[in-house]
């Protein structure tokens, strides 16, 4: 496929957890790519949540630091985002893409809704 494919979203109560998964275009993550998770809440612009480089080093937005963990498994060509202690403000469509993103490869995202 041309687009990234995200999965794993759902409805969860505050304090709950979800794990997201990302399949890259063609099932292959380019070795030189820095991968990222993005999210876009209702009425908001898309924001970068987390990144991981080819050595496995991660960076997180302050809003999710300590709660979210990004990982990559290159042999499986998959990217993951483990989200713990979810808050209502985490409600958004979550997208996977490279950093900087491949503009023609945005997928549909996976929806995360945090609601009591």
């Amino acid at each position: 496929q041309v687009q990234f494919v995200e999965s794993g979203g759902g409805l969860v109560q505050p304090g709950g957890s979800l794990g997201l998964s990302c399949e890259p275009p063609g099932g292959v993550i380019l070795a030189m790519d820095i991968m990222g998770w993005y999210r876009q809440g209702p009425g908001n612009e898309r924001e970068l949540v987390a990144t991981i480089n080819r050595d496995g080093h991660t960076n997180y937005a302050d809003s999710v630091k300590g709660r979210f963990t990004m990982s990559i498994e290159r042999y499986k060509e998959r990217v993951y985002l483990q989200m713990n202690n979810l808050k209502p403000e985490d409600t958004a469509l979550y997208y996977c893409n490279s950093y900087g993103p491949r503009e023609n490869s945005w997928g549909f995202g996976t929806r995360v809704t945090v609601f009591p």
Side-chain angles (χ1 to χ4, degrees):
Q1 76 278 18
V2 176
Q3 288 77 34
F4 289 88
V5 179
E6 303 90 351
S7 61
L11 175 65
V12 65
Q13 294 183 347
S17 298
L18 285 173
L20 307 183
S21 181
C22 170
E23 179 181 347
V28 177
I29 299 174
L30 298 179
M32 67 183 301
D33 279 351
I34 298 173
M35 299 302 301
W37 280 97
Y38 303 77
R39 69 184 182 187
Q40 185 170 15
N44 297 327
E45 295 186 359
R46 186 164 51 222
E47 63 176 341
L48 182 65
V49 174
T51 61
I52 188 167
N53 70 9
R54 61 185 181 181
D55 296 318
H57 297 291
T58 54
N59 282 299
Y60 301 94
D62 288 341
S63 58
V64 307
K65 191 174 298 182
R67 301 187 298 117
F68 290 9
T69 302
M70 187 178 183
S71 62
I72 188 169
E73 192 164 359
R74 290 200 174 273
Y75 289 121
K76 290 186 176 181
E77 305 289 353
R78 295 293 184 272
V79 181
Y80 306 96
L81 184 68
Q82 179 63 42
M83 306 183 296
N84 299 323
N85 302 316
L86 284 161
K87 303 176 180 180
E89 51 263 44
D90 295 319
T91 295
L93 276 171
Y94 283 74
Y95 301 89
C96 178
N97 209 326
S98 58
Y99 179 86
R102 304 179 186 275
E103 293 298 333
N104 292 330
S105 297
W106 291 107
F108 292 107
T110 185
R111 184 173 298 279
V112 172
T113 302
V114 185
F115 189 78

